[in-house]
């Protein structure tokens, strides 16, 4: 589903170049749930942004569902992302003055669905994310856990095959983090391909995650150093 080969990302600032992703190789199969684990600054967000087509690699290959998205023009990337990829962020990124269901509807605005289909999709996504009971409430008046469930519904509404989560529980308490993980499990059972970037230990032993991929200093490493046990 996602295939990354020898991918590098440099950021230039004046005369200095920062090598932020270093020769990344990663294959994620359809239906897999992969946890990308690494401390802050290890390159997780940069890598997810590239997978989502929000940023482009400096070199290397990236295929998402067989499509070389880094080579697509911006307009085509947006259309590809809208159909194939749902993204869940640490800070929820909701429009606070809009209701929960209006927020969930937004990704469907460019689609050609009629209003009945849109309403059905929104309803179904809110149900899956277990937040139907707050559908009409402005997002700004929801708790953190509720906001993240609205964000899950929004990520789902266009029925993407890939769901990318960037530190999804960083602003949630333990109870809401566990609820988030429960919903993630449902998405996994629905066959979604899921990648979670996190350093939250709650993701260390997910029953449904196929792998933990440790990142350090912009590289994928076989084993993290200085994390967990003292061996
Ligand atoms: N636009 C940018 N320009 C320069 N450096 C950046 C930029 N974006 C990220 N970085 C740097 O890349 C490194 C990895 O950042 P990031 O991908 O956000 O890591 P993480 O999500 O794991 O915390 C950090 O050192 C960060 O400062
Ligand atoms: Mg990050």
């Amino acid at each position: 589903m996602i295939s990354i080969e020898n991918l590098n990302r440099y950021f230039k600032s004046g005369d200095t170049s920062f090598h932020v992703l270093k020769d990344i190789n990663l294959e994620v199969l359809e239906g897999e749930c992969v946890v990308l684990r690494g401390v802050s600054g290890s390159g997780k967000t940069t890598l997810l942004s590239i997978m989502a087509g929000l940023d482009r690699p400096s070199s290397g290959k990236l295929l998402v569902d067989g499509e070389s998205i880094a080579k697509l023009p911006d307009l085509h990337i947006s259309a590809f992302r809208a159909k194939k990829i749902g993204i869940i962020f640490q800070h929820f990124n909701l429009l606070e003055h809009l209701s929960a269901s209006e927020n969930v509807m937004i990704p469907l605005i460019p689609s050609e669905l009629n209003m009945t289909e849109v309403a059905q999709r929104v309803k179904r996504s809110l149900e899956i994310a277990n937040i139907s009971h707050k559908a009409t409430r402005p997002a700004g008046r929801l708790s953190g856990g509720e906001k993240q469930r609205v964000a899950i519904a929004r990520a789902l509404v266009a029925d993407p095959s890939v769901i990318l989560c960037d530190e999804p529980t960083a602003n949630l308490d333990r109870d809401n983090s566990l609820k988030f993980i429960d919903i993630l499990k449902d998405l996994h059972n629905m066959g979604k391909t899921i990648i979670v970037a996190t350093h939250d230990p709650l993701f260390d032993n997910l029953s449904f995650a196929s792998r933990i991929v440790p990142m350090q200093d912009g590289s994928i490493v076989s084993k993290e150093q200085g994390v967990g046990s003292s061996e």
Side-chain angles (χ1 to χ4, degrees):
M1 181 54 75
I2 296 177
S3 171
I4 296 174
E5 254 179 67
N6 304 115
L7 184 143
N8 287 276
R9 180 69 170 107
Y10 301 89
F11 287 112
K12 290 206 170 58
S13 162
D15 290 342
T16 328
S17 172
F18 297 95
H19 197 178
V20 168
L21 293 178
K22 302 169 184 164
D23 207 28
I24 300 285
N25 289 283
L26 181 66
E27 293 280 336
V28 180
L29 303 177
E30 186 172 356
E32 248 195 306
C33 174
V34 169
V35 175
L36 206 56
R37 186 174 64 193
V39 297
S40 177
S42 55
K44 304 181 299 296
T45 296
T46 308
L47 184 54
L48 283 188
S49 303
I50 289 176
M51 290 181 196
L54 294 167
D55 184 25
R56 292 174 193 262
S58 307
S59 67
K61 265 203 215 163
L62 164 69
L63 296 179
V64 178
D65 202 10
E67 185 87 52
S68 181
I69 58 164
K71 298 207 172 110
L72 292 175
D74 285 347
L75 196 65
H76 289 87
I77 291 193
S78 314
F80 184 85
R81 188 190 313 124
K83 266 206 307 227
K84 289 273 174 181
I85 300 172
I87 313 177
I88 295 168
F89 303 92
Q90 169 178 356
H91 296 290
F92 323 127
N93 297 16
L94 301 177
L95 294 170
E96 303 254 305
H97 59 289
L98 295 185
S99 71
S101 61
E102 285 163 343
N103 270 282
V104 174
M105 206 179 292
I106 288 172
L108 297 181
I109 289 173
S111 77
E112 278 144 33
L113 300 171
N114 66 43
M115 277 319 285
T116 314
E117 288 166 323
V118 167
Q120 277 168 356
R121 293 252 201 143
V122 169
K123 183 167 178 280
R124 177 84 188 110
S125 301
L126 288 165
E127 280 165 9
I128 294 170
N130 199 11
I131 192 70
S132 304
H133 55 294
K134 296 285 165 74
T136 58
R137 181 167 296 202
R141 288 181 42 222
L142 297 172
S143 73
E146 291 166 345
K147 283 182 185 175
Q148 195 57 304
R149 292 203 287 281
V150 174
I152 295 174
R154 180 185 56 188
L156 276 179
V157 76
D159 197 22
S161 35
V162 177
I163 309 247
L164 304 175
C165 312
D166 192 2
E167 310 265 12
T169 58
N171 289 299
L172 302 183
D173 58 27
R174 184 185 161 83
D175 184 41
N176 278 303
S177 299
L178 292 172
K179 282 184 188 159
F180 178 88
I181 288 173
D182 272 347
I183 299 169
L184 214 54
K185 187 175 181 179
D186 292 340
L187 303 187
H188 172 71
N189 289 334
M190 289 162 66
K192 306 288 183 195
T193 304
I194 301 169
I195 302 183
V196 188
T198 187
H199 56 257
D200 184 339
L202 284 178
F203 288 85
D204 283 353
N205 295 303
L206 294 189
S207 59
F208 55 95
S210 39
R211 276 182 290 156
I212 292 179
V213 173
M215 280 192 80
Q216 205 163 356
D217 289 335
S219 301
I220 289 176
V221 292
S222 51
K223 198 168 192 304
E224 287 155 292
Q225 286 172 4
V227 179
S229 74
S230 58
E231 55 178 356

